[in-house]
RNA sequence: GUCGGAGUGGCGGAAUUGGCAGACGCGCUAGCUUGAGGUGCUAGUGACUAACUUAACGGUCGUGCGGGUUCAAGUCCCGCCUCCGACACCA
């Protein structure tokens, strides 16, 4: 190419990305440049990207994720930190098993092959991982410790087995955790799960619900939306439990049997006109059993079972209900309330029983309308005529109203006994007063409900970490002794023929560790999210054979300072990891509460039209399509420059071409500067000519900006600062003859450009550091340049002169000019505009502007 | 419905504490370089705009919409609109 010929003529070598990148990748590997030292005296920085699932080669999303992390890790090293920057693979999971079934091979071979491919691509991208710490979750020396943690939780009562209705995915042939049912569908395959009554294994994450919620407030380095999603998911709700006595068959005489409801609005108790149970409720079945109401009830129950959970969702759906023929007694009014079974009531929230308040709750309102139940008003706004009419009414006078929807949730209580006139609503004085009143009479109490359910971790699949439990007919569920860990996953199942662990006798046949009789091993494996809940701890001490990680090394490296990954893990992975960390803390292994100090969720990489890339759409841009023609450094630069890290962007070939243009231009400019650069020359600012002084000043100004941008992980603007410095250096080379350039200045500017871009374009940086600047060692051992705010100050500055807030002129003044001088210069500059007017006020903002108020 | 986030040129996007809106890049325009340009370099590029031979200079408007506070608002306050995301019959 002509440009290269021309470059050579100037004594500047061509930028050959492929050769340079291969060379430095070799050097880094040989020299172990990025090995994290447990015992160095430097302060630590733990930079972590979410490890990938090895489903094939890496895609653009990975490239973006790891480019962000690598820029952080490399810059942190230059800032003097000992950096832990590890990588691994979330290697268990269904795709490997499905691929093995399809190709009649073993899941392990498919997985290890993909991991090798991915590692090769990571190395081609030049990521600065400490590969000695590579963690693969399917390695027995890793999953052994997952089993160990399970047993510890079993001992503490945090792991248990229970039989309950669970989500069964018919396509994956396994159960799913609540969190893994997304939009009513399986998170992995999109099929609609069925409810099945099964015996399954759980982790008691609900024990930590309050702490998981409270500690979100500590996470200042997390994005607001992730914290909000977790808060929603945990779903804390304050309210009261209220006991209603079941009426005897006569419908009016209270029995001894109590049915408890949960409500956030005990203040609306006076407006309760009916009582609700879900179709699945055993109590409902019992109440109608053998009565004339049983048939209608069974019909409703059956129709609900037939409606999939997707269709059952959403408030648009019409509500259905049947009367049970029985009543409960309102504990305050002592009025009987009919018990209905309704399909909008959930069995697994609250107590599984609800008081119906049709005037204040839109759902109850719709239900009451449909079935002709009374809607007595018990809450009103002050400007409502109803308020005037009933504000002093303590008894229930108006039994029904003619509205078309429920009223606002907040207002003043009417027809509400001694509470009439109080302000009602969520967390209102009336709620407190009635709750207290109920508590004194032993018919209610303050309580807190969570939406969060325990974590269902058992999966009926082969390619996962076996649950280390044995079932003995005499002794029940018995843990595998610690010395027998790991329970190793067999590698010779005939997956192609559909063989499962449950059918594979060499695995499940065993003896009871307690009584020695023949017993059966549990053949369920653990949810893969258990493996990813603590891998960041294993990186601290990856080869430990005695324990999952040593306390000392966890203390050395944890918590993760910067965690980078996709927003799709906002709930699942991040919540589970927080839980696991707290459990490890309570086991005495950790001395902190939260694993990830700062979290960055990078945006998605979409195609040029804004569609998500997918194999089925055929619009995937593989990383190799950029590395092959341009090199990894261009790719990294383009990916970080195109948009802020947390935003989605559409793939744009022009941006890649532009990034390549810049990297080559910066290459030429550094080489150009190097022609006169002398590393040993002392810089004397006073001796610099005007252009030299200005370039030096700009270097400090832009360096300060660039450093701040790295600190807040805003790489697009960090790069733009380097671009500006390259532009300024280019101007210097164009305008200052070679024999008049300052040797110390050209050196320091060249080195600064190289340093500032090296975290992003590492091979480029190392090559220039050695070849153009003639320096020894690695650019990553070079400290990040120091920038000085004093040096960044200009001798003279241009200020805007405003009249009444509009820019009307400009003045060039000394940077240290006094306010009086500025005011005088400004008044003079716009003298003709304010002639004949009275100057009321002059606002002087040093370094920025002068505003004259005159009329 | 609830919770979170965002609306800035033709495009991606900049803009500490209120202080010259549009940095940087893409694209586009013109010129130079070149046998050629899918290279490089130089200059220009928010919209509108009277008088004037032309141009420079200037003027008006401009950060989703409408109000407000202020010498000064993309930024603060009040009221809307639109888009994106999460959860959703959670009592």
């Amino acid at each position: 190419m002509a440009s290269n010929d021309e470059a050579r003529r100037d004594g500047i070598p061509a930028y050959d990305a492929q050769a340079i990148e291969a060379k430095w990748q070799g050097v880094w590997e040989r020299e172990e440049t990025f090995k994290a030292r447990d015992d160095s005296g430097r302060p630590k920085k733990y930079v972590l990207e979410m490890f990938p699932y090895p489903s094939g080669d890496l895609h653009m999303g990975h490239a973006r994720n790891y480019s962000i992390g690598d820029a952080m890790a490399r810059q942190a090293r230059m800032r003097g930190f000992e950096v832990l920057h590890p990588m691994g693979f979330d290697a268990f999971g269904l795709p490997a098993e499905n691929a093995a079934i399809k190709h009649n091979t073993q899941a392990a071979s498919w997985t290890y092959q993909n991991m090798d491919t991915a590692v090769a691509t990571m190395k081609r991208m030049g990521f600065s991982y400490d590969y000695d710490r590579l963690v693969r979750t399917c390695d027995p020396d890793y999953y052994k410790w997952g089993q160990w943690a399970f047993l510890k939780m079993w001992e503490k009562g945090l792991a248990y087995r229970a039989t309950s209705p669970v989500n069964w995915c018919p396509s994956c042939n396994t159960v799913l955790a609540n969190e893994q049912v997304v939009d009513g569908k399986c998170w992995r395959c999109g099929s609609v799960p069925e409810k099945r009554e099964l015996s399954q294994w759980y982790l008691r994450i609900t024990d930590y619900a309050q702490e998981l919620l409270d500690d979100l407030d500590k996470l200042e380095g997390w994005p607001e939306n992730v914290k909000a999603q977790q808060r929603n998911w945990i779903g804390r709700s304050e309210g009261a439990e209220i006991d209603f006595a079941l009426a005897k068959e006569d419908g009016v005489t209270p029995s001894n049997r109590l049915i408890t409801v949960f409500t956030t609005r005990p203040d609306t108790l006076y407006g309760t006109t009916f009582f609700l149970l879900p179709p699945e409720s055993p109590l409902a079945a019992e109440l109608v059993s053998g009565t004339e109401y049983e048939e209608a009830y069974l019909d409703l129950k059956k129709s609900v079972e037939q409606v999939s959970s997707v269709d059952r969702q959403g408030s648009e759906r019409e509500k259905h209900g049947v009367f049970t023929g029985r009543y409960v007694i309102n504990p305050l009014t002592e009025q009987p309330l009919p018990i209905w079974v309704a399909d909008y009531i959930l069995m697994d929230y609250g107590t599984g029983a609800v008081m119906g308040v049709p005037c204040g709750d839109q759902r109850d309102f719709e239900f009451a309308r449909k079935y002709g139940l009374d809607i007595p008003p018990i809450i009103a706004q002050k400007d409502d005529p109803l308020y005037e009419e009933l504000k002093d009414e303590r008894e229930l006078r108006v039994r029904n109203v003619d509205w078309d929807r429920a009223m606002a949730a907040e207002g003043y209580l009417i027809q509400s006994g001694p509470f009439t006139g109080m302000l009602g609503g969520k967390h209102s004085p009336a709620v407190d007063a009635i709750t207290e009143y109920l508590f004194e009479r032993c018919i209610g109490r303050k309580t807190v409900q969570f939406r969060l359910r325990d974590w269902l971790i058992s999966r009926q699949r082969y390619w996962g970490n076996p649950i280390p439990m044995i079932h003995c007919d005499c002794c029940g569920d018995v843990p595998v002794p610690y010395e027998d860990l790991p329970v190793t996953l067999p590698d010779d199942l005939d997956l192609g023929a559909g063989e499962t662990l449950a059918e594979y006798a060499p695995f499940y046949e065993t003896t009871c560790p307690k009584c020695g009789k023949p017993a059966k091993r549990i053949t369920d494996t653990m949810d893969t999210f258990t493996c990813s809940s603590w891998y960041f701890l294993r990186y601290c001490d990856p080869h430990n054979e005695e324990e999952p990680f040593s306390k000392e090394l966890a203390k050395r490296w944890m918590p993760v300072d910067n965690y980078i990954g996709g927003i799709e893990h906002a709930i699942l992975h991040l919540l589970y990891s927080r839980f696991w960390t707290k459990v490890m803390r309570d086991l005495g292994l950790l001395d902190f509460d939260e694993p990830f100090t700062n979290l960055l969720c990078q945006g998605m990489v979409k195609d040029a039209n804004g569609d998500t890339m997918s194999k089925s759409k055929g619009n995937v841009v593989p990383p190799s399509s950029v590395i092959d023609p341009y090199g990894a450094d261009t790719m990294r630069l383009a990916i970080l420059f195109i948009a802020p890290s947390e935003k989605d962007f559409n793939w744009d070939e022009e941006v890649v071409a532009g990034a390549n243009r810049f990297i080559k231009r910066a290459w030429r400019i550094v080489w150009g500067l190097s022609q006169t650069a002398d590393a040993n020359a002392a810089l004397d600012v006073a001796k610099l000519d005007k252009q030299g002084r200005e370039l030096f000043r700009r270097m400090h100004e832009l360096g300060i900006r660039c450093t701040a941008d790295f600190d807040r992980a805003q790489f697009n603007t960090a790069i733009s600062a380097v671009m500006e410095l390259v532009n300024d250096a280019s101007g210097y080379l164009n305008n200052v003859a070679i024999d008049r350039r300052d040797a110390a200045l050209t050196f320091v500017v060249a080195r600064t450009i190289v340093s500032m871009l090296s975290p992003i374009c590492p091979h480029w940086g190392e090559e220039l550091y050695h070849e153009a600047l003639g320096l020894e060692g690695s650019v990553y051992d070079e400290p990040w340049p120091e920038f000085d705010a004093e040096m960044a100050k200009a001798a003279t500055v241009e200020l805007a002169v405003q009249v009444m807030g509009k820019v009307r002129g400009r003045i060039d003044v000394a940077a240290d000019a006094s306010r009086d001088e500025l005011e005088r210069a400004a008044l003079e500059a716009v003298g003709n505009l304010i002639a004949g007017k009275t100057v009321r006020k002059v606002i002087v903002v040093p370094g920025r502007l002068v505003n004259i108020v005159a009329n």
Side-chain angles (χ1 to χ4, degrees):
Chain A
M1 284 195 291
S3 60
N4 287 344
D5 294 343
E6 196 180 320
R8 282 195 200 96
R9 220 178 299 138
D10 293 345
I12 295 176
Y15 172 64
D16 182 348
Q18 304 303 340
I20 292 169
E21 293 180 1
K23 170 181 163 187
W24 288 103
Q25 284 158 20
V27 172
W28 294 332
E29 192 154 348
R30 247 190 344 269
E31 309 275 323
E32 297 188 319
T33 312
F34 301 110
K35 197 175 174 64
R37 319 268 161 192
D38 292 329
D39 52 2
S40 85
R42 297 168 148 208
K44 70 92 183 179
K45 182 85 91 179
Y46 190 169
V47 179
L48 181 65
E49 298 111 57
M50 291 182 185
F51 65 170
Y53 180 79
S55 62
D57 202 357
L58 303 180
H59 55 65
M60 278 299 172
H62 296 121
R64 188 180 195 191
N65 189 170
Y66 309 154
S67 295
I68 294 166
D70 202 50
M72 284 183 180
R74 286 177 183 267
Q75 201 251 357
R77 178 177 304 271
M78 296 170 82
R79 297 291 290 275
F81 292 99
E82 185 68 35
V83 174
L84 175 58
H85 187 219
M87 186 37 81
F89 292 96
D90 190 12
F92 275 134
L94 207 45
E97 193 173 338
N98 289 342
I101 292 166
K102 195 171 158 192
H103 302 117
N104 198 18
T105 57
Q106 286 302 319
S109 58
W110 183 87
T111 304
Y112 279 91
Q113 209 174 332
N114 284 339
M115 291 192 285
D116 289 346
T117 308
V119 165
T121 303
M122 288 169 186
K123 290 187 172 168
R124 259 198 99 192
M125 285 292 290
F127 296 135
S128 63
Y129 299 127
D130 180 352
Y131 286 99
D132 185 47
R133 293 179 187 250
L134 197 75
V135 165
R136 302 178 190 87
T137 60
C138 62
D139 287 343
D141 58 359
Y142 177 78
Y143 68 68
K144 170 181 178 178
W145 299 110
Q147 296 174 5
W148 178 92
F150 178 92
L151 294 179
K152 288 287 175 192
M153 290 193 221
W154 172 265
E155 284 169 14
K156 294 198 79 179
L158 289 170
Y160 66 96
R161 170 138 82 158
T163 301
S164 58
V166 295
N167 304 298
W168 171 270
C169 175
S171 142
C172 300
N173 280 319
T174 184
V175 299
L176 301 171
N178 272 1
E179 290 84 348
Q180 291 166 350
V181 181
V182 179
D183 290 334
K185 296 175 194 159
C186 172
W187 69 290
R188 190 186 302 109
C189 70
S191 19
V192 177
E194 303 159 6
K195 282 277 176 195
R196 286 197 186 179
E197 187 84 9
L198 292 169
S199 169
Q200 296 292 328
W201 298 83
Y202 294 84
L203 297 184
R204 216 178 284 281
I205 192 171
T206 52
D207 271 15
Y208 288 83
Q210 188 66 53
E211 198 195 336
L212 287 167
L213 180 71
D214 290 343
D215 285 357
L216 287 173
D217 295 334
K218 291 185 191 167
L219 299 174
E220 285 168 20
W222 281 39
E224 211 43 59
N225 63 336
V226 172
K227 288 191 277 187
Q229 279 184 49
Q230 294 213 355
R231 278 191 199 102
N232 279 340
W233 190 263
I234 295 167
R236 183 181 196 273
S237 164
E238 278 181 30
E241 283 178 356
I242 304 175
D243 304 325
F244 287 69
L246 179 66
K248 292 185 178 167
E249 256 105 52
D250 65 5
V252 288
T253 318
S255 73
N256 291 332
R257 194 155 168 198
L258 298 175
I259 312 176
T260 304
V261 299
F262 170 73
T263 177
T264 56
R265 297 294 307 277
D267 56 320
T268 62
L269 187 49
Y270 285 85
T272 304
T273 47
F274 50 95
F275 197 86
L276 294 159
L277 295 173
E280 304 89 340
S281 164
L283 175 67
E286 182 200 323
L287 293 180
V288 297
S289 174
T291 70
E292 58 183 297
Y293 303 100
E294 185 168 20
E295 197 183 332
Y297 164 73
L298 290 173
D299 285 348
L300 178 74
K301 192 177 174 190
K302 205 170 156 194
S303 76
V304 166
E305 280 163 3
Q306 280 168 354
V307 179
S308 72
S309 60
V310 190
D311 295 336
R312 206 177 155 183
Q313 274 178 13
S315 46
E316 301 306 307
R317 196 177 129 81
E318 193 182 332
K319 295 159 181 36
H320 304 272
V322 292
F323 180 48
T324 60
R326 298 290 296 268
Y327 294 80
V328 292
I329 307 299
N330 184 324
L332 291 187
T333 64
E334 294 178 357
Q335 292 297 306
L337 309 172
I339 303 174
W340 285 67
V341 173
D343 59 358
Y344 69 99
I345 306 302
L346 304 173
M347 184 67 202
D348 58 1
Y349 184 78
T351 60
V354 174
M355 60 187 214
V357 185
C359 94
D361 183 289
Q362 185 59 24
R363 294 157 301 172
D364 294 344
F365 177 86
E366 285 164 23
F367 190 77
R369 260 290 126 81
K370 181 168 176 185
Y371 294 103
L373 300 158
D374 283 346
I375 307 175
I378 45 101
I379 196 160
Q381 309 301 312
K382 279 202 162 150
D383 56 1
D384 190 332
L386 210 55
Y387 177 79
E388 270 312 307
E389 186 189 338
L390 296 170
K391 65 181 177 192
D392 300 320
E393 186 59 64
R394 294 173 155 232
E395 300 304 316
L396 189 63
R397 184 154 63 80
V398 178
R399 290 198 143 295
N400 208 339
V401 290
D402 182 27
W403 299 333
D404 55 0
R405 57 170 299 121
M407 65 183 357
E410 281 191 19
Y412 293 86
L413 297 185
I414 51 178
Q415 308 196 107
S416 295
F419 305 99
T420 301
M422 290 187 83
L423 180 63
K426 278 200 178 179
H427 312 292
S428 64
V431 166
D432 293 340
I434 297 195
T435 306
E436 182 63 26
Y437 185 86
L438 294 169
F439 183 70
E440 280 164 11
R441 283 155 186 77
C442 297
I443 45 180
R445 62 215 68 86
K446 219 173 161 163
T447 184
V448 172
Q449 276 294 325
F450 291 95
R451 209 188 72 110
L452 185 70
R453 300 282 87 127
D454 275 339
W455 177 13
L456 197 175
I457 56 154
S458 46
R459 298 290 179 275
Q460 293 68 52
R461 300 299 309 201
Y462 157 72
W463 190 235
N465 189 3
I467 292 178
M469 296 292 291
I470 291 165
H471 186 79
C472 169
D473 286 338
C474 301
C475 311
D477 290 326
V478 181
V480 173
Y482 285 101
E483 58 270 25
D484 292 350
L485 296 185
V487 175
T488 312
L489 201 59
D491 59 1
D492 50 358
L493 261 71
D494 194 351
L495 294 172
E499 191 168 37
T500 66
L501 265 191
E503 299 156 354
Y504 188 73
F507 179 75
Y508 67 70
E509 279 180 356
T510 186
T511 51
C512 173
K514 220 166 167 181
C515 69
K517 285 188 208 148
K520 203 178 164 198
R521 205 178 275 294
I522 297 301
T523 55
D524 287 353
T525 53
M526 289 187 238
D527 182 2
T528 52
F529 280 98
T530 61
C531 300
S532 55
S533 291
W534 70 283
Y535 74 107
F536 45 89
L537 293 165
R538 184 66 179 174
Y539 284 142
C540 298
D541 190 8
H543 306 297
N544 196 327
E545 293 178 9
E546 308 301 319
E547 44 188 354
F549 50 88
S550 86
K551 224 178 145 173
E552 291 69 37
L553 289 174
K555 197 170 180 140
R556 159 75 166 148
W557 295 112
M558 286 296 290
V560 174
D561 294 279
N562 291 285
Y563 197 29
I564 307 119
I567 187 76
E568 66 273 18
H569 294 110
I571 298 172
L572 295 170
H573 164 60
L574 291 170
L575 189 66
Y576 294 147
S577 297
R578 295 181 59 221
F579 161 66
W580 206 281
T581 298
K582 289 172 192 300
V583 171
M584 293 295 124
R585 176 202 61 194
D586 291 345
L587 288 170
L589 292 169
L590 302 174
D591 57 1
F592 53 89
D593 303 319
E594 288 289 337
F596 313 124
T597 307
N598 294 290
L599 175 69
L600 192 158
C601 293
Q602 94 268 5
M604 289 199 349
V605 181
K606 301 187 169 178
D607 76 1
N609 301 317
D611 294 326
T612 47
M613 292 186 185
S614 76
K615 278 182 195 163
S616 58
K617 283 187 208 156
N619 60 352
V620 173
V621 181
S624 60
S625 74
V626 181
I627 306 176
D628 290 344
Y630 294 114
D633 283 340
T634 290
M635 165 123 180
R636 297 164 55 122
L637 181 71
I639 253 178
L640 292 176
F641 182 63
I642 189 167
S645 303
E646 58 290 341
K647 285 197 70 168
D648 290 355
F649 73 80
N650 298 350
W651 188 255
D652 184 351
E653 183 58 37
E654 299 288 354
V655 171
V656 180
N660 188 244
R661 214 176 300 149
F662 171 71
I663 211 173
K664 288 196 288 196
R665 178 169 143 85
W667 171 272
R668 286 193 306 271
I669 300 298
V670 170
W671 273 104
L673 290 165
S674 78
Q675 290 174 321
T676 54
D678 180 352
N680 299 315
L683 186 71
D684 185 346
V685 182
K687 277 192 184 159
L688 292 176
D689 59 14
K690 202 178 157 203
Q691 287 104 325
R693 241 244 65 128
E694 178 60 11
L695 179 60
F696 184 70
R697 188 190 71 75
R698 283 281 285 168
M699 181 187 85
H700 283 278
E701 179 185 319
L702 292 165
I704 289 168
R705 235 169 67 191
C706 182
T707 306
D709 287 340
F710 265 101
D711 286 346
R712 57 190 180 134
Q714 193 160 314
F715 302 106
N716 57 333
T717 48
I719 292 165
S720 79
V722 184
M723 286 172 166
E724 286 185 61
L725 184 55
V726 168
N727 288 345
D728 289 351
S730 170
Y732 181 81
L733 295 180
N734 286 337
N735 294 318
V736 179
I738 191 160
D739 54 347
R740 293 188 45 235
R741 293 176 199 159
D742 186 273
L745 176 72
T746 46
F747 174 78
V748 76
V749 171
R751 202 201 57 200
T752 299
I753 292 171
V754 169
S755 291
M756 291 200 305
L757 205 54
S758 282
I760 292 160
C761 303
H763 316 83
W764 174 98
E766 290 274 43
E767 181 71 10
L768 288 173
Y769 187 75
H770 287 82
E771 303 305 321
L773 300 178
L775 297 171
E776 300 291 320
S778 169
V779 67
Y780 301 103
D781 296 326
E782 175 86 17
W784 186 255
E786 299 270 342
F787 300 104
D788 184 340
E790 280 304 311
M791 297 292 183
K793 281 187 184 158
T796 64
V797 285
E798 191 189 64
L799 263 57
V801 180
Q802 298 182 331
V803 178
M804 302 298 288
K806 290 188 192 265
V807 180
R808 297 294 152 154
R810 293 178 182 282
I811 48 174
D812 273 312
V813 291
D816 56 357
S818 68
R819 294 184 89 92
D820 285 350
E821 286 170 310
L822 292 177
E823 188 170 329
R824 215 173 310 127
L827 287 169
E828 196 187 314
V830 294
N832 53 334
L833 285 168
I834 52 172
K837 294 182 180 172
T838 313
V839 175
R840 307 265 171 213
K841 203 172 171 186
V842 179
I843 290 123
V844 178
V845 185
R848 300 216 181 251
L849 51 74
V850 180
N851 189 11
I852 297 162
V853 187
N855 56 12

